Amino acid sequence: MKIACTGRSRALGARIAEHLGAGLAETRISRFPDGEIYLQTGPLDETTVVVGSLLSSDSLVELLLLIDACHRSEILLVVPYLGYARQDREFKPGEPVSARAMARALSSGVSRVITVNIHKEAVLSHFTVPASQLNLAPEVGDFIAGLGLSSPLILAPDRGAAPFAAAVASRGGWECDHLEKTRLSGEEVRIEPRKGGDWTGDVVIVDDIISTGGTIATAARMLHAQGAKGVHAVCVHGLFAGNALSLLRSAGIDQIAASDTIEGPESRYSAAGAIARALIR
Ligand code: R5P
């Protein structure tokens, strides 16, 4: 078995390879003068694990090219972050179900797909090959345990993230709760002030994705106004679009952490172990 990675998933791919004791297939990626992507892999085995997060149009093209380059082997596809999953239905007439379009495209030529904390589980049904997701709640719980906070409250910023927060909290035997969020636009949300309870300790807000940072920043300001001692944010997929990091810091977030499904300076824990275990199963 060899692991082949797209350009933005090299560190995670190397960690998965280390967990599996598998070799890395060197992948060289460059551009033609007109901007088209060129890619070439080194020697492969009978089975190739293709690892690539779907972060942008370029990363989609890289993934499609890499899958095609590996066509002589059986391909297990790992898409740690599946972009476009939030457009999971036709919200207005004439819109695509973008998640379905991506899932169909990525099913071609592969025998199985694994992703991580997909935004909505129903999206998995759009793949035309067996597809499953991993939940990094235990890894998030272990990461929080390592922060050494005393009895942190694990908080979901909205109802949708409440089951994730409960799973994280159960890892450390901590309390958990959720807020009520209304999305006003792509960048802005309204969060209802929390009623009752003790808000004077450390609060760790957990979510699947941080994109613009609007959700977490709004929650953090509200928590500070209600007397929280420290506010921390841990997500699985750290997109940190635009000025998200400065927005989060100015909202008084003490620590920001994400996994390496999207590699960046805030990647402070890894999805590699969970992915390697799923590949062995
Ligand atoms: C939405 O339901 C997701 O779980 C996240 O809460 C959302 O994507 C975060 O986006 P942003 O950081 O832009 O507020």
Side-chain angles (χ1 to χ4, degrees), residues 205-238:
I205 310 171
V206 296
D207 207 351
D208 58 344
I209 301 170
I210 297 180
S211 179
T212 65
T215 297
I216 303 277
T218 306
R221 279 192 217 100
M222 190 271 287
L223 292 166
H224 279 302
Q226 293 199 290
K229 176 179 142 202
V231 180
H232 315 267
V234 185
C235 69
V236 174
H237 309 297

Side-chain angles (χ1 to χ4, degrees), residues 48-64:
T48 307
V49 177
V50 169
V51 182
S53 278
L54 177 48
L55 298 162
S56 62
S57 314
D58 277 354
S59 63
L60 173 65
V61 174
E62 275 186 35
L63 259 180
L64 296 176

Side-chain angles (χ1 to χ4, degrees), residues 38-172:
Y38 172 83
L39 176 153
Q40 186 185 22
T41 62
L44 301 170
D45 283 344
E46 270 178 32
T47 304
T48 307
V49 177
V50 169
V51 182
S53 278
L54 177 48
L55 298 162
S56 62
S57 314
D58 277 354
S59 63
L60 173 65
V61 174
E62 275 186 35
L63 259 180
L64 296 176
L65 297 181
L66 186 54
I67 290 167
D68 198 76
C70 298
H71 76 280
R72 288 191 183 82
S73 58
E74 186 196 5
I75 299 171
L76 309 177
L77 176 63
V78 177
V79 190
Y81 172 67
L82 183 76
Y84 288 91
R86 285 172 288 178
Q87 179 79 25
D88 60 343
R89 61 192 169 92
E90 196 182 319
F91 296 95
K92 293 183 199 148
E95 288 181 350
V97 178
S98 309
R100 178 177 60 202
M102 297 301 139
R104 285 181 179 165
L106 292 172
S107 296
S108 177
V110 310
S111 54
R112 181 181 156 204
V113 178
I114 295 175
T115 186
V116 177
N117 286 88
I118 197 165
H119 188 61
K120 289 265 173 63
E121 183 154 25
V123 169
L124 293 174
S125 68
H126 295 310
F127 287 93
T128 57
V129 294
S132 58
Q133 67 162 329
L134 305 172
N135 185 355
L136 292 196
E139 283 72 13
V140 173
D142 291 348
F143 174 77
I144 293 170
L147 296 178
L149 306 172
S150 140
S151 307
L153 172 73
I154 309 301
L155 191 67
D158 53 35
R159 238 170 236 275
F164 179 64
V168 170
S170 74
R171 190 78 174 174

